[in-house]
Amino acid sequence: MKPVQLGDVATFIRGITFKPDDIVELGTDGSVACLRTKNVQADLDLSDVWAVSRNFVKSDEKLTKPGDIILSTANSWNLVGKASWIPELPWPTTAGGFVSLLRANPEKVSPRYLYHWLTTDEVQANLRKCARQTTNISNLNIQQAAALRIPLPPLPEQKRIAGILDQADALRRLRARALEKLNTLGQAIFQEMFGAFHDDYGPWPLQRLEALIADAQIGAVRGAKEMDDGKPVEYLRMDAIGIDGSLSLENLRRVDASQSDLCKYALRSGDFLFNTRNSRELVGKTAVVRAPFPGIFNNNILRLRFYGDMTADFLDMFLRTRKGQTVLGAIKSGTTSVFAIYQKSLMALNVPVPPKDLQQAYSDRMHELSLARERHVRAVEQASSLFASLQHRTFRGEL
């Protein structure tokens, strides 16, 4: 495959500029939708799309076309170059100032072939090398990006390759969607057994949380200088707790810890974890420990263990209901960038307490769901790894 410069087969189209006051409601007469960095995800995210007056679009060239690729061109360094495929959209659409469109010349390059090449790990790394770093943002140098070299077989071969990669990508996405549906099943089971908890506590009696807790422990303090991959003990920090209640034990930092630390800050199956300090949106994340963890946890995490009247699984899901989020929101306090939920305030919350046997039945189902989720996660990781390998081989001319 003879490599050519990216700029010879595709055109970068910079996004438009406007002020925050220029944003209008999507669908307003005389407006166009405007994509921004938030919309650039693995799949184009259309859950939150801005709109501006059509007058800001000085040329029809700046309106998106199906098959365009949108790139994040001004972002944190690790996100510069991130790209999404643009399908047929329901509105006239343009791109904002922190993103750009990449439009293939279909007489020279298949748009899907271009997209698959652009999203390989190698090309994403090369795009980041084209970024100019400022204090807190990186800007993609379009001229340097256009000079990147893309291997270019004849068009029929490009389309054949793109078709193979599309099929492999479809399998990967199918597995990911199955995992997403599995992640929502716990909430559905919870609502079926206990109710939705939209604006009230349902039919269950209330107790102060502190009366249900057998043990409460804030985690161990370890500074950045105390962390090293060569140290013996894994250190669980707040970023391991997902907003969906998941708990990631991959790529943890490591620290030193005494035997007494390992006992004091141990995590065992059924422990409840609460993130006490974070941004306003993320403080109050929760997770349930599913298996013993042979390490220690961070001081921004509170570990709770309960008497028999409460299970970690029930409290975890209750606090993620609309009512649960409302009561947590009322006890958040903080500054512009850092918010906290103090242990004293958390302990004073009134929480619903369904019968023990009903809570235990829910915990049993969540345990089974957790095992199924682990299997699906491994399947998604395997599919993603195989797809990345296939991409790599493809653009080395081995497919």
PDB file of all heavy atoms in Angstrom, residues 41-67:
ATOM      1  N   GLN A  41     -17.688  10.954  21.138  1.00  0.00           N
ATOM      2  CA  GLN A  41     -17.484   9.744  21.928  1.00  0.00           C
ATOM      3  C   GLN A  41     -17.232   8.582  20.974  1.00  0.00           C
ATOM      4  O   GLN A  41     -17.097   8.794  19.769  1.00  0.00           O
ATOM      5  CB  GLN A  41     -18.697   9.484  22.814  1.00  0.00           C
ATOM      6  CG  GLN A  41     -19.054  10.637  23.737  1.00  0.00           C
ATOM      7  CD  GLN A  41     -17.972  10.972  24.745  1.00  0.00           C
ATOM      8  OE1 GLN A  41     -17.192  10.108  25.149  1.00  0.00           O
ATOM      9  NE2 GLN A  41     -17.895  12.242  25.146  1.00  0.00           N
ATOM     10  N   ALA A  42     -17.169   7.354  21.503  1.00  0.00           N
ATOM     11  CA  ALA A  42     -16.952   6.189  20.634  1.00  0.00           C
ATOM     12  C   ALA A  42     -18.003   6.157  19.526  1.00  0.00           C
ATOM     13  O   ALA A  42     -17.701   5.873  18.366  1.00  0.00           O
ATOM     14  CB  ALA A  42     -17.000   4.907  21.463  1.00  0.00           C
ATOM     15  N   ASP A  43     -19.242   6.445  19.892  1.00  0.00           N
ATOM     16  CA  ASP A  43     -20.300   6.740  18.930  1.00  0.00           C
ATOM     17  C   ASP A  43     -20.706   8.183  19.161  1.00  0.00           C
ATOM     18  O   ASP A  43     -20.676   8.670  20.300  1.00  0.00           O
ATOM     19  CB  ASP A  43     -21.519   5.825  19.129  1.00  0.00           C
ATOM     20  CG  ASP A  43     -21.242   4.394  18.712  1.00  0.00           C
ATOM     21  OD1 ASP A  43     -20.635   4.202  17.650  1.00  0.00           O
ATOM     22  OD2 ASP A  43     -21.626   3.475  19.462  1.00  0.00           O
ATOM     23  N   LEU A  44     -21.088   8.880  18.118  1.00  0.00           N
ATOM     24  CA  LEU A  44     -21.495  10.268  18.260  1.00  0.00           C
ATOM     25  C   LEU A  44     -22.627  10.358  19.282  1.00  0.00           C
ATOM     26  O   LEU A  44     -23.666   9.724  19.140  1.00  0.00           O
ATOM     27  CB  LEU A  44     -21.946  10.816  16.907  1.00  0.00           C
ATOM     28  CG  LEU A  44     -22.173  12.324  16.833  1.00  0.00           C
ATOM     29  CD1 LEU A  44     -20.865  13.090  17.013  1.00  0.00           C
ATOM     30  CD2 LEU A  44     -22.823  12.696  15.503  1.00  0.00           C
ATOM     31  N   ASP A  45     -22.429  11.165  20.332  1.00  0.00           N
ATOM     32  CA  ASP A  45     -23.395  11.301  21.418  1.00  0.00           C
ATOM     33  C   ASP A  45     -24.321  12.475  21.125  1.00  0.00           C
ATOM     34  O   ASP A  45     -23.879  13.624  21.119  1.00  0.00           O
ATOM     35  CB  ASP A  45     -22.652  11.516  22.737  1.00  0.00           C
ATOM     36  CG  ASP A  45     -23.580  11.590  23.938  1.00  0.00           C
ATOM     37  OD1 ASP A  45     -24.811  11.573  23.747  1.00  0.00           O
ATOM     38  OD2 ASP A  45     -23.081  11.678  25.074  1.00  0.00           O
ATOM     39  N   LEU A  46     -25.583  12.186  20.894  1.00  0.00           N
ATOM     40  CA  LEU A  46     -26.561  13.225  20.556  1.00  0.00           C
ATOM     41  C   LEU A  46     -27.515  13.506  21.708  1.00  0.00           C
ATOM     42  O   LEU A  46     -28.591  14.078  21.518  1.00  0.00           O
ATOM     43  CB  LEU A  46     -27.355  12.808  19.313  1.00  0.00           C
ATOM     44  CG  LEU A  46     -26.528  12.555  18.046  1.00  0.00           C
ATOM     45  CD1 LEU A  46     -27.429  12.118  16.907  1.00  0.00           C
ATOM     46  CD2 LEU A  46     -25.734  13.799  17.652  1.00  0.00           C
ATOM     47  N   SER A  47     -27.118  13.136  22.939  1.00  0.00           N
ATOM     48  CA  SER A  47     -28.007  13.331  24.082  1.00  0.00           C
ATOM     49  C   SER A  47     -28.036  14.781  24.552  1.00  0.00           C
ATOM     50  O   SER A  47     -28.955  15.185  25.259  1.00  0.00           O
ATOM     51  CB  SER A  47     -27.567  12.426  25.245  1.00  0.00           C
ATOM     52  OG  SER A  47     -26.250  12.753  25.673  1.00  0.00           O
ATOM     53  N   ASP A  48     -27.042  15.569  24.176  1.00  0.00           N
ATOM     54  CA  ASP A  48     -26.982  16.971  24.612  1.00  0.00           C
ATOM     55  C   ASP A  48     -26.344  17.783  23.487  1.00  0.00           C
ATOM     56  O   ASP A  48     -25.134  17.952  23.440  1.00  0.00           O
ATOM     57  CB  ASP A  48     -26.170  17.089  25.911  1.00  0.00           C
ATOM     58  CG  ASP A  48     -26.105  18.515  26.435  1.00  0.00           C
ATOM     59  OD1 ASP A  48     -26.871  19.371  25.953  1.00  0.00           O
ATOM     60  OD2 ASP A  48     -25.284  18.785  27.337  1.00  0.00           O
ATOM     61  N   VAL A  49     -27.173  18.288  22.586  1.00  0.00           N
ATOM     62  CA  VAL A  49     -26.687  19.016  21.411  1.00  0.00           C
ATOM     63  C   VAL A  49     -27.129  20.476  21.506  1.00  0.00           C
ATOM     64  O   VAL A  49     -28.295  20.764  21.765  1.00  0.00           O
ATOM     65  CB  VAL A  49     -27.218  18.386  20.109  1.00  0.00           C
ATOM     66  CG1 VAL A  49     -26.749  19.180  18.897  1.00  0.00           C
ATOM     67  CG2 VAL A  49     -26.751  16.929  20.000  1.00  0.00           C
ATOM     68  N   TRP A  50     -26.195  21.371  21.315  1.00  0.00           N
ATOM     69  CA  TRP A  50     -26.507  22.801  21.286  1.00  0.00           C
ATOM     70  C   TRP A  50     -27.035  23.205  19.909  1.00  0.00           C
ATOM     71  O   TRP A  50     -26.938  22.445  18.937  1.00  0.00           O
ATOM     72  CB  TRP A  50     -25.263  23.616  21.600  1.00  0.00           C
ATOM     73  CG  TRP A  50     -24.849  23.559  23.032  1.00  0.00           C
ATOM     74  CD1 TRP A  50     -25.522  22.988  24.079  1.00  0.00           C
ATOM     75  CD2 TRP A  50     -23.641  24.101  23.588  1.00  0.00           C
ATOM     76  NE1 TRP A  50     -24.823  23.136  25.246  1.00  0.00           N
ATOM     77  CE2 TRP A  50     -23.669  23.824  24.977  1.00  0.00           C
ATOM     78  CE3 TRP A  50     -22.553  24.790  23.058  1.00  0.00           C
ATOM     79  CZ2 TRP A  50     -22.632  24.225  25.830  1.00  0.00           C
ATOM     80  CZ3 TRP A  50     -21.534  25.187  23.901  1.00  0.00           C
ATOM     81  CH2 TRP A  50     -21.577  24.908  25.270  1.00  0.00           C
ATOM     82  N   ALA A  51     -27.538  24.431  19.822  1.00  0.00           N
ATOM     83  CA  ALA A  51     -27.934  25.008  18.530  1.00  0.00           C
ATOM     84  C   ALA A  51     -27.598  26.496  18.547  1.00  0.00           C
ATOM     85  O   ALA A  51     -27.576  27.134  19.603  1.00  0.00           O
ATOM     86  CB  ALA A  51     -29.425  24.804  18.269  1.00  0.00           C
ATOM     87  N   VAL A  52     -27.309  27.025  17.347  1.00  0.00           N
ATOM     88  CA  VAL A  52     -27.024  28.452  17.180  1.00  0.00           C
ATOM     89  C   VAL A  52     -27.718  28.929  15.910  1.00  0.00           C
ATOM     90  O   VAL A  52     -28.195  28.117  15.100  1.00  0.00           O
ATOM     91  CB  VAL A  52     -25.503  28.735  17.088  1.00  0.00           C
ATOM     92  CG1 VAL A  52     -24.800  28.384  18.387  1.00  0.00           C
ATOM     93  CG2 VAL A  52     -24.889  27.970  15.919  1.00  0.00           C
ATOM     94  N   SER A  53     -27.753  30.218  15.716  1.00  0.00           N
ATOM     95  CA  SER A  53     -28.358  30.771  14.506  1.00  0.00           C
ATOM     96  C   SER A  53     -27.608  30.296  13.263  1.00  0.00           C
ATOM     97  O   SER A  53     -26.378  30.191  13.262  1.00  0.00           O
ATOM     98  CB  SER A  53     -28.353  32.294  14.564  1.00  0.00           C
ATOM     99  OG  SER A  53     -28.699  32.853  13.309  1.00  0.00           O
ATOM    100  N   ARG A  54     -28.355  30.047  12.207  1.00  0.00           N
ATOM    101  CA  ARG A  54     -27.764  29.640  10.931  1.00  0.00           C
ATOM    102  C   ARG A  54     -26.816  30.709  10.393  1.00  0.00           C
ATOM    103  O   ARG A  54     -25.910  30.406   9.599  1.00  0.00           O
ATOM    104  CB  ARG A  54     -28.907  29.378   9.924  1.00  0.00           C
ATOM    105  CG  ARG A  54     -28.475  29.029   8.497  1.00  0.00           C
ATOM    106  CD  ARG A  54     -27.821  27.667   8.452  1.00  0.00           C
ATOM    107  NE  ARG A  54     -27.610  27.203   7.101  1.00  0.00           N
ATOM    108  CZ  ARG A  54     -26.632  27.633   6.287  1.00  0.00           C
ATOM    109  NH1 ARG A  54     -25.779  28.543   6.722  1.00  0.00           N
ATOM    110  NH2 ARG A  54     -26.509  27.138   5.075  1.00  0.00           N
ATOM    111  N   ASN A  55     -26.962  31.954  10.865  1.00  0.00           N
ATOM    112  CA  ASN A  55     -26.119  33.051  10.392  1.00  0.00           C
ATOM    113  C   ASN A  55     -24.655  32.864  10.746  1.00  0.00           C
ATOM    114  O   ASN A  55     -23.775  33.477  10.122  1.00  0.00           O
ATOM    115  CB  ASN A  55     -26.613  34.383  10.960  1.00  0.00           C
ATOM    116  CG  ASN A  55     -27.991  34.761  10.428  1.00  0.00           C
ATOM    117  OD1 ASN A  55     -28.350  34.380   9.317  1.00  0.00           O
ATOM    118  ND2 ASN A  55     -28.759  35.490  11.223  1.00  0.00           N
ATOM    119  N   PHE A  56     -24.374  32.030  11.766  1.00  0.00           N
ATOM    120  CA  PHE A  56     -22.973  31.806  12.147  1.00  0.00           C
ATOM    121  C   PHE A  56     -22.254  30.898  11.149  1.00  0.00           C
ATOM    122  O   PHE A  56     -21.023  30.826  11.149  1.00  0.00           O
ATOM    123  CB  PHE A  56     -22.895  31.183  13.547  1.00  0.00           C
ATOM    124  CG  PHE A  56     -23.158  32.145  14.660  1.00  0.00           C
ATOM    125  CD1 PHE A  56     -24.410  32.218  15.249  1.00  0.00           C
ATOM    126  CD2 PHE A  56     -22.174  32.993  15.109  1.00  0.00           C
ATOM    127  CE1 PHE A  56     -24.671  33.095  16.270  1.00  0.00           C
ATOM    128  CE2 PHE A  56     -22.414  33.882  16.132  1.00  0.00           C
ATOM    129  CZ  PHE A  56     -23.665  33.945  16.719  1.00  0.00           C
ATOM    130  N   VAL A  57     -23.012  30.194  10.318  1.00  0.00           N
ATOM    131  CA  VAL A  57     -22.407  29.277   9.346  1.00  0.00           C
ATOM    132  C   VAL A  57     -22.232  30.036   8.033  1.00  0.00           C
ATOM    133  O   VAL A  57     -23.195  30.245   7.291  1.00  0.00           O
ATOM    134  CB  VAL A  57     -23.293  28.027   9.150  1.00  0.00           C
ATOM    135  CG1 VAL A  57     -22.615  27.046   8.201  1.00  0.00           C
ATOM    136  CG2 VAL A  57     -23.578  27.363  10.492  1.00  0.00           C
ATOM    137  N   LYS A  58     -21.010  30.463   7.765  1.00  0.00           N
ATOM    138  CA  LYS A  58     -20.757  31.339   6.617  1.00  0.00           C
ATOM    139  C   LYS A  58     -20.677  30.585   5.299  1.00  0.00           C
ATOM    140  O   LYS A  58     -20.696  31.199   4.234  1.00  0.00           O
ATOM    141  CB  LYS A  58     -19.445  32.114   6.839  1.00  0.00           C
ATOM    142  CG  LYS A  58     -19.424  32.935   8.128  1.00  0.00           C
ATOM    143  CD  LYS A  58     -20.590  33.923   8.198  1.00  0.00           C
ATOM    144  CE  LYS A  58     -20.529  34.771   9.469  1.00  0.00           C
ATOM    145  NZ  LYS A  58     -21.709  35.678   9.580  1.00  0.00           N
ATOM    146  N   SER A  59     -20.554  29.252   5.374  1.00  0.00           N
ATOM    147  CA  SER A  59     -20.443  28.460   4.151  1.00  0.00           C
ATOM    148  C   SER A  59     -21.114  27.117   4.358  1.00  0.00           C
ATOM    149  O   SER A  59     -21.022  26.520   5.440  1.00  0.00           O
ATOM    150  CB  SER A  59     -18.967  28.260   3.785  1.00  0.00           C
ATOM    151  OG  SER A  59     -18.816  27.263   2.796  1.00  0.00           O
ATOM    152  N   ASP A  60     -21.785  26.624   3.316  1.00  0.00           N
ATOM    153  CA  ASP A  60     -22.413  25.304   3.403  1.00  0.00           C
ATOM    154  C   ASP A  60     -21.381  24.207   3.634  1.00  0.00           C
ATOM    155  O   ASP A  60     -21.735  23.108   4.090  1.00  0.00           O
ATOM    156  CB  ASP A  60     -23.200  25.014   2.122  1.00  0.00           C
ATOM    157  CG  ASP A  60     -24.503  25.805   2.050  1.00  0.00           C
ATOM    158  OD1 ASP A  60     -24.874  26.429   3.066  1.00  0.00           O
ATOM    159  OD2 ASP A  60     -25.139  25.797   0.974  1.00  0.00           O
ATOM    160  N   GLU A  61     -20.130  24.491   3.300  1.00  0.00           N
ATOM    161  CA  GLU A  61     -19.061  23.511   3.544  1.00  0.00           C
ATOM    162  C   GLU A  61     -18.991  23.136   5.020  1.00  0.00           C
ATOM    163  O   GLU A  61     -18.594  22.029   5.373  1.00  0.00           O
ATOM    164  CB  GLU A  61     -17.711  24.092   3.095  1.00  0.00           C
ATOM    165  CG  GLU A  61     -16.540  23.152   3.295  1.00  0.00           C
ATOM    166  CD  GLU A  61     -15.207  23.826   3.018  1.00  0.00           C
ATOM    167  OE1 GLU A  61     -14.961  24.889   3.625  1.00  0.00           O
ATOM    168  OE2 GLU A  61     -14.436  23.305   2.211  1.00  0.00           O
ATOM    169  N   LYS A  62     -19.384  24.068   5.912  1.00  0.00           N
ATOM    170  CA  LYS A  62     -19.295  23.824   7.350  1.00  0.00           C
ATOM    171  C   LYS A  62     -20.491  23.072   7.909  1.00  0.00           C
ATOM    172  O   LYS A  62     -20.575  22.839   9.119  1.00  0.00           O
ATOM    173  CB  LYS A  62     -19.098  25.149   8.096  1.00  0.00           C
ATOM    174  CG  LYS A  62     -17.743  25.798   7.822  1.00  0.00           C
ATOM    175  CD  LYS A  62     -17.552  27.056   8.643  1.00  0.00           C
ATOM    176  CE  LYS A  62     -16.176  27.681   8.399  1.00  0.00           C
ATOM    177  NZ  LYS A  62     -15.069  26.848   8.945  1.00  0.00           N
ATOM    178  N   LEU A  63     -21.449  22.695   7.058  1.00  0.00           N
ATOM    179  CA  LEU A  63     -22.544  21.836   7.473  1.00  0.00           C
ATOM    180  C   LEU A  63     -22.120  20.378   7.321  1.00  0.00           C
ATOM    181  O   LEU A  63     -21.523  20.001   6.320  1.00  0.00           O
ATOM    182  CB  LEU A  63     -23.791  22.112   6.637  1.00  0.00           C
ATOM    183  CG  LEU A  63     -24.432  23.492   6.824  1.00  0.00           C
ATOM    184  CD1 LEU A  63     -25.577  23.669   5.836  1.00  0.00           C
ATOM    185  CD2 LEU A  63     -24.935  23.676   8.257  1.00  0.00           C
ATOM    186  N   THR A  64     -22.419  19.562   8.302  1.00  0.00           N
ATOM    187  CA  THR A  64     -21.985  18.168   8.271  1.00  0.00           C
ATOM    188  C   THR A  64     -22.690  17.392   7.163  1.00  0.00           C
ATOM    189  O   THR A  64     -23.810  17.706   6.772  1.00  0.00           O
ATOM    190  CB  THR A  64     -22.271  17.464   9.609  1.00  0.00           C
ATOM    191  OG1 THR A  64     -23.682  17.418   9.833  1.00  0.00           O
ATOM    192  CG2 THR A  64     -21.593  18.181  10.759  1.00  0.00           C
ATOM    193  N   LYS A  65     -21.988  16.362   6.690  1.00  0.00           N
ATOM    194  CA  LYS A  65     -22.542  15.417   5.720  1.00  0.00           C
ATOM    195  C   LYS A  65     -22.380  14.009   6.293  1.00  0.00           C
ATOM    196  O   LYS A  65     -21.408  13.736   7.008  1.00  0.00           O
ATOM    197  CB  LYS A  65     -21.801  15.509   4.388  1.00  0.00           C
ATOM    198  CG  LYS A  65     -21.909  16.859   3.692  1.00  0.00           C
ATOM    199  CD  LYS A  65     -21.128  16.841   2.379  1.00  0.00           C
ATOM    200  CE  LYS A  65     -21.223  18.178   1.660  1.00  0.00           C
ATOM    201  NZ  LYS A  65     -20.453  18.177   0.383  1.00  0.00           N
ATOM    202  N   PRO A  66     -23.311  13.098   6.005  1.00  0.00           N
ATOM    203  CA  PRO A  66     -23.110  11.711   6.438  1.00  0.00           C
ATOM    204  C   PRO A  66     -21.785  11.182   5.897  1.00  0.00           C
ATOM    205  O   PRO A  66     -21.477  11.348   4.713  1.00  0.00           O
ATOM    206  CB  PRO A  66     -24.303  10.970   5.813  1.00  0.00           C
ATOM    207  CG  PRO A  66     -25.342  12.030   5.617  1.00  0.00           C
ATOM    208  CD  PRO A  66     -24.586  13.285   5.278  1.00  0.00           C
ATOM    209  N   GLY A  67     -20.995  10.586   6.759  1.00  0.00           N
ATOM    210  CA  GLY A  67     -19.682  10.099   6.356  1.00  0.00           C
ATOM    211  C   GLY A  67     -18.553  11.029   6.756  1.00  0.00           C
ATOM    212  O   GLY A  67     -17.377  10.660   6.634  1.00  0.00           O
TER     213      GLY A  67
END
